[in-house]
Amino acid sequence: MTVAEETEVTLAVGQQKELPVVADPDGRHPDREMHAILEIGVRGRPGRTGAPVPGTGPALAEVLIVDTSRSMLHPAAKLHAAKDATVAAVRMLPDGTAFAVLSGRFHASLVHPGPGSAVLAVAGPAEREAAERAVRILDADGGTAIGTWLDLARRLLKDQPAPVKHVLLLTDGRNEHDHRAAMALDTALDACEGRFVCDAWGIGDDWDAELLLRITRRLHGRAHAVRAESELPAAYQELVAGLLGTAVPELRIRLTPTPGTVIRQVKQVVPNEQELPPVPAGPGGRGAEYVTRAWGEEVRHFQVVLTADPTGRETGEDLQLAAVEVAVPDFGRPVRLPAPQPVLVRWTDQPLDASRQHPGVRRHELYQQAGAAVAHAYRAWLRGTDGRDTADRELARALALAGELGDAQLLGALRLIEAAPGTGRVRDGLKDVDWQHLILSSALTTPPEPAPVRPPASGPRADGPAPPGSAPPAGDPPGGAAVPSGSGGPAVPVRPDGLVECPDCRWLGPADSVYCGGDCGRLLRGSPA
């Protein structure tokens, strides 16, 4: 027996719970939006002696796509770097890993395991050497039609049992031959979504950041680029090392709304923005699941938007709008999952809509504004002299937003565009690729720095608001969302059948239910924060 490493998943719900109960002129109560931030983390924990761990990481099926269009020869250093990086990645694949290398032009072709093969190669010394030989003799010609590249990767990965299916795509171009392709990019993305994770890389001076972001946002990957061709092999090695260290191949966020609550949107907001489409959580249920993939030891943030009607609801009382759970399919390793958490609302007669003021929600809005300012500045810069004033104004706005966010990475990227520190003016002599790097940088997001812990001056914390700059007490999730405590035992007695019955709406649920899962959503045990 070996010592297994147990993976732990953590969940915290951050929100400002207050929403106003304000009738319209006709006396109707419109639905109100509750915005909440889910902070989900994955980390390894020393485990107890148990079943042997199957390998050093989850099984991986990898497809490496190399752009071999004619532009990769101008300069030829791009193609040389692409070959070096692809070989470096193949050499890192553990024995038994399913993999393939594709060449992308007007059409995609199988470089290894060879034309006509319907299955992936299986990594071993001989297969890795054969793949390296095939990659080394690649030449470049033709155009760029990325949809066909992705579709061939999809077909190769379709029957793979590996829990992590990944595509690593490299291009120096702008998908300029999409109209001539056997499969357009939009059609390919529709077919590939949910089938694998794709990271996309730009190399050279003529790649398109928006294209890379469009691909990776649909396929749940990340967009990257190198400023110098020589940086690519090390970047590939770092990425593959992260894939081989994947802690959780798939994690599902399960939302179960109470009656009258509607799920409007769920999206990832840190480390980048990605819309998450819902899948049914189970037959006949109200809930929905949102699938996320390929987790290392990391923390991601997700924004949830719910709507609810306050008509007939109590004011000044914490009510549950939805329950949040995390589910991980069995992949042969022990996983410790967090307890379900509630998304709450407290209807109030005050006119302020507090839900959007939660720091995580507000932070994401600032990132959206900064990204829009960068996009506007770039479009104005393309107009030359006519757009110079607009470009300067939008750059200054992006700099101000990055400063408010305290994002050093984004500030650094913006200052590469700025003429001189503090001027807020666009530098002369910029190339288009300088803006492409900035667009990618503006798509990355970071969580806020944790507030410093400052003990109260005297005595326990009062019921009123904490002083500015103070941290929430230990155990509170980010943003001060209430975590009901059950230490006082259930306020509603447990029935002989082991269930509790809500005294208001007669909902039946497990004995440890903190909030009613029925129509009223009221607190059943413990006391609200």
Side-chain angles (χ1 to χ4, degrees):
M1 304 297 256
T2 62
V3 176
E5 182 181 88
E6 182 183 61
T7 299
E8 180 181 29
V9 180
T10 60
L11 167 67
V13 178
Q15 61 173 136
Q16 299 286 1
K17 298 174 291 187
E18 291 76 16
L19 284 182
V21 179
V22 179
D24 64 17
D26 296 327
R28 293 174 300 191
H29 292 278
D31 287 351
R32 297 297 183 189
E33 287 190 347
M34 170 57 68
H35 295 251
I37 297 293
L38 312 182
E39 181 180 292
I40 299 177
V42 172
R43 64 189 180 193
R45 290 164 40 90
R48 60 190 178 278
T49 299
V53 177
T56 58
L60 170 69
E62 179 68 27
V63 174
L64 298 139
I65 303 179
V66 183
D67 185 337
T68 55
S69 61
R70 186 180 297 110
S71 59
M72 286 289 284
L73 294 174
H74 305 287
K78 291 187 290 187
L79 186 58
H80 294 320
K83 293 179 183 182
D84 289 344
T86 303
V87 167
V90 169
R91 287 175 177 172
M92 293 181 66
L93 298 178
D95 288 355
T97 302
F99 78 101
V101 180
L102 308 186
S103 166
R105 301 181 182 179
F106 288 124
H107 306 284
S109 59
L110 197 53
V111 175
H112 187 81
S117 176
V119 296
L120 301 187
V122 178
E127 288 290 344
R128 286 190 289 265
E129 290 175 10
E132 179 172 349
R133 289 194 299 271
V135 168
R136 291 297 184 195
I137 63 174
L138 281 174
D139 199 359
D141 196 12
T144 303
I146 294 176
T148 61
W149 310 355
L150 291 172
D151 185 57
L152 178 54
R154 177 190 64 81
R155 286 182 275 130
L156 288 169
L157 290 168
K158 178 169 61 74
D159 296 323
Q160 280 297 314
V164 179
K165 300 179 182 67
H166 183 264
V167 172
L168 179 48
L169 184 153
L170 174 73
T171 183
D172 75 330
R174 295 177 176 263
N175 201 39
E176 58 191 349
H177 297 104
D178 194 57
H179 62 289
R180 294 174 51 185
M183 179 173 284
L185 179 58
D186 282 340
T187 304
L189 291 174
D190 288 342
C192 295
E193 187 172 10
R195 306 292 182 179
F196 56 79
V197 173
C198 179
D199 287 313
W201 285 75
I203 189 172
D205 291 340
D206 198 33
W207 50 273
D208 181 357
E210 289 298 335
L211 171 65
L212 301 187
L213 291 169
R214 178 178 159 204
I215 293 169
T216 54
R217 283 171 175 163
R218 286 290 301 278
L219 302 183
H220 290 204
R222 301 181 190 179
H224 316 261
V226 290
R227 293 185 180 272
E229 288 85 355
S230 60
E231 299 172 356
L232 190 64
Y236 266 35
Q237 288 175 320
E238 182 179 356
L239 187 147
V240 172
L243 286 170
L244 296 176
T246 298
V248 173
E250 179 181 301
L251 184 152
R252 293 184 172 226
I253 302 168
R254 183 178 298 150
L255 285 178
T256 305
T258 55
T261 300
V262 177
I263 305 170
R264 294 298 184 191
Q265 185 182 50
V266 177
K267 63 180 175 181
Q268 179 179 290
V269 294
V270 174
N272 54 357
E273 181 176 322
Q274 289 179 347
E275 293 287 343
L276 300 180
V279 296
R286 298 191 304 269
E289 291 185 344
Y290 301 82
V291 182
T292 66
R293 292 184 169 88
W295 286 69
E297 293 199 7
E298 60 180 307
V299 175
R300 302 184 196 176
H301 290 190
F302 302 85
Q303 183 173 357
V304 172
V305 182
L306 308 172
T307 58
D309 184 351
T311 304
R313 303 296 185 182
E314 294 291 332
T315 59
E317 180 182 351
D318 285 356
L319 303 175
Q320 178 171 299
L321 291 179
V324 184
E325 298 175 78
V326 173
V328 173
D330 181 22
F331 63 103
R333 285 171 173 250
V335 179
R336 180 179 177 183
L337 295 176
Q341 298 285 342
V343 178
L344 305 175
V345 68
R346 182 180 296 166
W347 299 110
T348 173
D349 293 329
Q350 299 299 318
L352 176 65
D353 181 351
S355 116
R356 288 182 179 271
Q357 301 307 309
H358 179 270
V361 176
R362 173 63 178 157
R363 188 173 181 82
H364 180 56
E365 290 177 347
L366 292 177
Y367 272 115
Q368 289 181 317
Q369 294 170 23
V374 167
H376 293 155
Y378 171 56
R379 287 196 292 268
W381 175 82
L382 289 173
R383 302 204 311 268
T385 304
D386 291 343
R388 184 59 185 260
D389 289 345
T390 301
D392 288 344
R393 183 169 59 252
E394 294 295 334
L395 176 63
R397 172 168 167 73
L399 282 160
L401 289 164
E404 185 175 349
L405 286 163
D407 189 324
Q409 179 271 339
L410 180 56
L411 276 171
L414 288 164
R415 284 170 180 155
L416 293 175
I417 299 293
E418 191 180 18
T423 62
R425 297 179 62 83
V426 174
R427 177 165 59 86
D428 292 330
L430 288 174
K431 298 179 180 180
D432 189 88
V433 71
D434 297 319
W435 287 97
Q436 301 307 318
H437 281 287
L438 176 58
I439 291 169
L440 284 192
S441 294
S442 67
L444 299 175
T445 57
T446 62
E449 291 292 328
V453 177
R454 297 180 182 177
S458 62
R461 187 176 72 166
D463 290 338
S470 64
D476 281 3
V483 177
S485 168
S487 59
V492 178
V494 178
R495 299 176 0 151
D497 59 5
L499 301 176
V500 292
E501 180 177 0
C502 175
D504 288 353
C505 69
R506 301 306 176 189
W507 172 82
L508 294 176
D512 60 353
S513 299
V514 177
Y515 282 90
C516 171
D519 291 333
C520 68
R522 62 158 284 181
L523 187 71
L524 298 179
R525 67 186 181 100
S527 57

